Amino acid sequence: MKNLLIEIFGVLLKFIFITAGAIFAFFEPTLPFILICTLAVFMDCYTAWALSRRVKKKYPEQNDGKFKSEKFANVFKTLLKIYMLIILAFLMEKFIFEGVEIKLANIVAGAVCFWQIWSMLENESSCNDARWAKIAQRILIDKTEKHFNISLNELKDKEKQDNG
């Protein structure tokens, strides 16, 4: 009886590994896109954390400057959505647009990277007194208010009162 269970368990493990290997081999072409997009998302997280530190330095009572676990949960959800989108684009490219020279996975990964780079620029220019940041704020969103529940008008009014 014990030998039978060991044999069944061995067959089950082989089936699981063969299935996982087949799935991995099928989706392997998407791995470079997934890795690049993951790197872009983590770089965006870093710039958001750096923004949090700048806000803490400039307005200590408004922010603690820490990376919070609920933010990481959002990052994880975003990564899962990006992975599903890349895989969907790959499947559409392979089965729906077969024979058509369109690289949907490349386009999707490029769009995700552009979105993350734009977000990084917004993070780096927000709450930044550098000249380039002031110029960039003409076309980018200042994320100080959005990410940290700080009304910039209130802070600017408070700064004017403190300085004037």
Side-chain angles (χ1 to χ4, degrees):
M1 180 67 173
K2 185 177 177 183
N3 289 340
L4 180 63
L5 289 175
I6 290 172
E7 193 173 322
I8 291 172
F9 184 70
V11 169
L12 185 61
L13 272 179
K14 285 179 188 176
F15 175 75
I16 290 170
F17 280 106
I18 289 170
T19 304
I23 291 170
F24 178 80
F26 184 75
F27 290 117
E28 185 271 332
T30 64
L31 285 181
F33 306 122
I34 287 173
L35 292 175
I36 292 167
C37 290
T38 301
L39 178 64
V41 169
F42 284 141
M43 289 172 63
D44 183 36
C45 287
Y46 173 77
T47 60
W49 173 75
L51 170 58
S52 177
R53 302 293 296 163
R54 283 194 307 277
V55 170
K56 181 183 182 344
K57 193 179 283 187
K58 194 168 185 177
Y59 309 107
E61 68 282 352
Q62 299 291 332
N63 189 10
D64 59 8
K66 295 180 181 173
F67 189 75
K68 296 176 179 53
S69 58
E70 64 266 8
K71 296 288 185 190
F72 185 73
N74 289 339
V75 170
F76 188 71
K77 289 176 192 173
T78 300
L79 283 172
L80 287 177
K81 290 175 186 176
I82 290 169
Y83 298 162
M84 289 188 297
L85 185 61
I86 289 171
I87 290 171
L88 176 64
F90 170 74
L91 291 173
M92 289 174 61
E93 178 183 319
K94 189 161 183 85
F95 295 108
I96 295 175
F97 295 115
E98 83 181 280
V100 178
E101 284 297 318
I102 186 167
K103 297 190 176 213
L104 286 179
N106 295 54
I107 293 168
V108 167
V112 167
C113 288
F114 177 79
W115 161 42
Q116 293 304 309
I117 290 169
W118 191 270
S119 179
M120 285 183 248
L121 287 171
E122 289 174 340
N123 288 336
E124 286 299 307
S125 66
S126 296
C127 199
N128 191 335
D129 294 328
R131 182 179 165 90
W132 75 268
K134 299 286 184 197
I135 294 169
Q137 284 300 309
R138 292 181 182 174
I139 58 169
L140 300 172
I141 294 172
D142 190 334
K143 288 187 170 181
T144 309
E145 186 175 279
K146 176 184 167 201
H147 281 266
F148 305 110
N149 297 323
I150 297 172
S151 171
L152 291 178
N153 291 330
E154 290 175 21
L155 291 174
K156 289 176 184 176
D157 292 343
K158 184 178 177 184
E159 272 184 5
K160 286 179 186 175
Q161 290 172 355
D162 291 344
N163 293 334

